[in-house]
Amino acid sequence: MIQGREVYGIDLGTTYSCISQIDRFDQAVVLRNFEGDTITPSAVYFETKDRIVVGKEAKEMLATEPENTVVFAKRDMGNDDAFDKQKNNYPYHYDPSEISAFILKKLVDDANSLNNANIRDVVITCPAYFGTKERMQTKQAGEIAGLNVLSIINEPTAAAIAYGLQQKERRSFIVYDLGGGTFDVTYLIADHGNIQVIATGGDHHLGGVDWDTQLAKYLVTALNEQNGTNFDLFDDVVLYNSLMLDAESKKRLLTHKESVKWNFSYQGYNARVEISRQQFDEITSDLLSQTIDAMYDVLDVAADKGYDTFDEILLVGGSSRMPQVKAHIDKVFNCNSRLNDPDEIVAKGAAIYAMNAAYTKGKDMFSKGLTKEAPKPLGTNETHVVNVTSKTYGIRQYHGSEDDKGFIHNFLFANTPLPCSGSIGGRTMYDNQQSIESVVYESDLTDPVNDEEAPLECGILIDERILKITKNHPKGTDAITEFKVDEEGILSVHFTVGRDVLDYTLRLKGVKTRDEIKAAKSMMATKTIQ
């Protein structure tokens, strides 16, 4: 149960994470860690099996002990191989939700110690394009860390909440969220603190680290040219991690300087390089163009819904600090985009959302007589959020030919306002049919007109099984499949044959059972995390 106003927002980022709360002045503030920083690198170093270091020190270990260090675990959310403990390459074969739990535990433990707090109730953010599996795995990371996850909220929506509360009139926004490892773009309406998401998109594997990679490739080329060597950035893990750390540092300097110098030694070879901001912009221009293409895709979806203009572009995510981002967006869209607190705004928005959820629940409990005191009014506007589903969902069906492998029949499409539902009808094929096939797909298709039927390879199989029909029915009995997506963007599936409701719970590979969650929490209790 939510007690008082003790709720928190957590930005669980690919490269950096932070935690925020609403202070006694009704302002969202980010809590510092033991190092005195407001953001913590999302890096995990296994000093031993039971002694785990998270944050800045862990990140520094990449250059010397890469085999014991994990970064960018968020990119593996939803990746089945990463959750297969026989296949993944993480130290001791922890999966991405467990790695994320270590990061959450560090954030919470530091905040508890430094603020005399007892953090339990939280809202955690995730990329807008995360599907059901990734959202459930993110939520389970919080559970493993011992938290009560009130909700999962999209990162661009959280940023818009923090920024939108300042707006005194209805305005339309594009939120351009370029983080360290992921990219989101969202079109939304903000109106006196109320947020209505119209369309969203993005790229699971595009972020500031890709700019670092281009710069690291440039640096290793210089090393080879100056020494006649033939080092390969991607074949040498020590060289790779050393150069990637250097590249991130130089990228940050280029945010403020027109050029930077770089001296590097490796295996007895030395190199000296100077790179200008213009050169950096040129070698990464293709990456920036990818983000612009994604913006146009989202704008097309918004236009189809009747929203063909926007008032402002909001830049969030630490990587949007790169001068090339604002300069190029302003040129392409003939605007003056706003760079507003990019490192912390997502966590602050999550805290505001959590506080509103607590206040709404408190009012409801008081009105029902379940509490004696009404909750303290908020010093800000109450926020109401209408989000959209990030994915399209469908089932496998058949045309009926002899060699028919089937196709995906999509009937619940991306960018539908949440919560939402959709259903599709079928019929039993013979008398007293004993079972029915259930094959559920998720995809990034967005066009209800042209994508209603799609090849199987256009989607991702998320669940497949044969359901037992418990009663006898004549041939031709209605068989209905219903999909429901809740406010968090998480899918549930329901089947009925005639009046017979079939027992069904999604079984998503990598999403833990209750027993597996319990085991993971027990594992956490044996670790020393610092």
Side-chain angles (χ1 to χ4, degrees):
M1 180 182 295
I2 302 170
Q3 298 293 332
R5 295 156 63 84
E6 296 301 314
V7 291
Y8 298 79
I10 297 179
D11 176 9
L12 180 60
T14 309
T15 52
Y16 291 91
S17 298
C18 61
I19 182 168
S20 177
Q21 71 170 150
I22 305 300
D23 67 12
R24 61 193 180 93
F25 302 109
D26 284 317
Q27 298 298 308
V29 294
V30 171
L31 306 180
R32 295 185 180 275
N33 58 25
F34 277 145
E35 293 75 30
D37 300 321
T38 57
I39 58 174
T40 299
S42 300
V44 180
Y45 165 62
F46 292 86
E47 185 175 334
T48 66
K49 183 177 181 180
D50 295 324
R51 186 176 179 83
I52 299 167
V53 178
V54 176
K56 185 182 293 184
E57 183 182 349
K59 186 176 180 180
E60 292 170 351
M61 298 305 295
L62 268 175
T64 54
E65 293 188 47
E67 70 280 3
N68 293 323
T69 309
V70 179
V71 292
F72 311 130
K74 183 175 174 179
R75 279 189 164 185
D76 276 335
M77 287 293 189
N79 176 3
D80 288 344
D81 283 347
F83 281 85
D84 186 330
K85 298 196 175 185
Q86 300 305 312
K87 293 182 179 180
N88 80 31
N89 295 317
Y90 290 147
Y92 306 105
H93 297 285
Y94 292 110
D95 64 45
S97 63
E98 293 163 345
I99 298 291
S100 298
F102 295 140
I103 298 168
L104 291 169
K105 193 73 165 57
K106 157 73 171 176
L107 290 174
V108 168
D109 285 352
D110 282 11
N112 280 338
S113 297
L114 294 172
N115 298 277
N116 193 29
N118 183 24
I119 298 170
R120 175 166 169 73
D121 297 314
V122 300
V123 167
I124 301 177
T125 65
C126 73
Y129 55 82
F130 262 16
T132 290
K133 182 184 292 189
E134 295 98 318
R135 291 170 188 271
M136 294 178 73
Q137 290 166 345
T138 300
K139 199 166 187 177
Q140 289 189 342
E143 292 183 63
I144 295 168
L147 301 171
N148 176 34
V149 183
L150 303 174
S151 183
I152 299 294
I153 183 174
N154 293 347
E155 289 160 4
T157 304
I161 289 171
Y163 182 65
L165 287 178
Q166 306 167 20
Q167 306 306 308
K168 303 303 181 184
E169 58 184 16
R170 177 183 172 93
R171 291 177 66 80
S172 56
F173 291 89
I174 297 174
V175 180
Y176 176 104
D177 184 358
L178 185 60
T182 59
F183 173 66
D184 272 325
V185 56
T186 298
Y187 184 106
L188 53 84
I189 305 294
D191 189 3
H192 293 83
N194 295 315
I195 306 295
Q196 180 185 5
V197 177
I198 305 301
T200 193
D203 191 330
H204 209 156
H205 290 275
L206 180 63
V209 65
D210 298 294
W211 273 256
D212 300 343
T213 301
Q214 291 301 104
L215 186 51
K217 289 164 63 177
Y218 180 90
L219 298 177
V220 79
T221 297
L223 178 67
N224 286 331
E225 288 178 349
Q226 293 180 28
N227 294 277
T229 51
N230 192 32
F231 290 113
D232 189 311
L233 179 67
F234 300 105
D235 286 345
D236 188 326
V237 67
V238 174
L239 175 64
Y240 174 82
N241 285 307
S242 296
L243 283 179
M244 287 294 284
L245 289 171
D246 267 2
E248 182 186 11
S249 173
K250 299 300 181 289
K251 178 186 70 176
R252 290 177 178 271
L253 287 174
L254 285 169
T255 298
H256 307 288
K257 301 178 66 176
E258 290 298 324
S259 66
V260 295
K261 294 180 179 179
W262 172 76
N263 297 295
F264 187 70
S265 298
Y266 187 68
Q267 294 187 1
Y269 297 98
N270 302 304
R272 179 181 175 84
V273 177
E274 182 173 1
I275 184 167
S276 68
R277 183 188 293 175
Q278 181 179 348
Q279 288 174 298
F280 176 60
D281 292 351
E282 289 172 354
I283 65 174
T284 58
S285 60
D286 287 349
L287 298 171
L288 189 55
S289 294
Q290 290 178 46
T291 70
I292 301 300
D293 291 342
M295 292 178 76
Y296 278 122
D297 289 342
V298 168
L299 283 169
D300 286 344
V301 175
D304 289 341
K305 293 184 173 185
Y307 300 90
D308 54 5
T309 62
F310 60 87
D311 296 313
E312 195 166 0
I313 296 177
L314 178 63
L315 307 178
V316 299
S319 297
S320 64
R321 290 184 185 277
M322 293 184 292
Q324 60 174 264
V325 172
K326 177 174 168 54
H328 193 57
I329 287 175
D330 288 355
K331 179 180 179 181
V332 170
F333 293 100
N334 190 28
C335 67
N336 182 19
S337 56
R338 181 184 292 270
L339 184 66
N340 189 38
D341 195 12
D343 292 318
E344 301 179 2
I345 193 170
V346 169
K348 289 178 178 179
I352 295 168
Y353 185 79
M355 189 69 261
N356 273 270
Y359 179 62
T360 299
K361 182 171 183 177
K363 287 196 303 180
D364 182 60
M365 293 178 68
F366 178 71
S367 68
K368 294 178 179 177
L370 299 176
T371 56
K372 294 182 179 180
E373 294 184 8
K376 177 185 174 183
L378 299 178
T380 60
N381 294 327
E382 288 187 56
T383 298
H384 177 66
V385 175
V386 177
N387 228 316
V388 295
T389 179
S390 60
K391 300 293 183 180
T392 289
Y393 295 100
I395 61 172
R396 183 166 69 194
Q397 290 192 327
Y398 302 90
H399 288 297
S401 61
E402 187 174 331
D403 59 349
D404 187 7
K405 295 181 180 180
F407 62 94
I408 305 173
H409 190 144
N410 292 310
F411 58 94
L412 189 56
F413 278 85
N415 295 307
T416 301
L418 296 175
C420 62
S421 63
S423 62
I424 187 171
R427 296 183 185 277
T428 56
M429 299 179 65
Y430 46 85
D431 290 339
N432 303 325
Q433 187 170 321
Q434 298 298 302
S435 63
I436 190 169
E437 180 186 65
S438 166
V439 186
V440 181
Y441 282 86
E442 177 182 271
S443 73
D444 293 319
L445 301 173
T446 59
D447 188 342
V449 175
N450 296 314
D451 297 330
E452 183 177 9
E453 290 190 11
L456 297 179
E457 56 268 24
C458 289
I460 297 173
L461 176 65
I462 61 174
D463 196 2
E464 178 177 18
R465 75 182 86 163
I466 301 298
L467 300 176
K468 291 183 179 180
I469 299 176
T470 59
K471 299 177 182 178
N472 292 330
H473 300 280
K475 176 182 177 180
T477 299
D478 288 336
I480 307 299
T481 305
E482 183 181 24
F483 288 173
K484 294 182 179 179
V485 183
D486 63 17
E487 280 100 343
E488 294 180 87
I490 296 175
L491 173 72
S492 60
V493 183
H494 309 270
F495 286 90
T496 57
V497 178
R499 296 182 180 179
D500 188 9
V501 179
L502 305 188
D503 180 33
Y504 189 91
T505 301
L506 278 172
R507 298 174 186 168
L508 304 178
K509 187 175 181 181
V511 174
K512 298 184 188 306
T513 64
R514 298 319 303 171
D515 286 343
E516 288 170 335
I517 289 286
K518 184 177 179 180
K521 292 174 74 172
S522 296
M523 173 274 295
M524 286 286 292
T526 68
K527 310 302 178 186
T528 299
I529 300 172
Q530 63 180 39

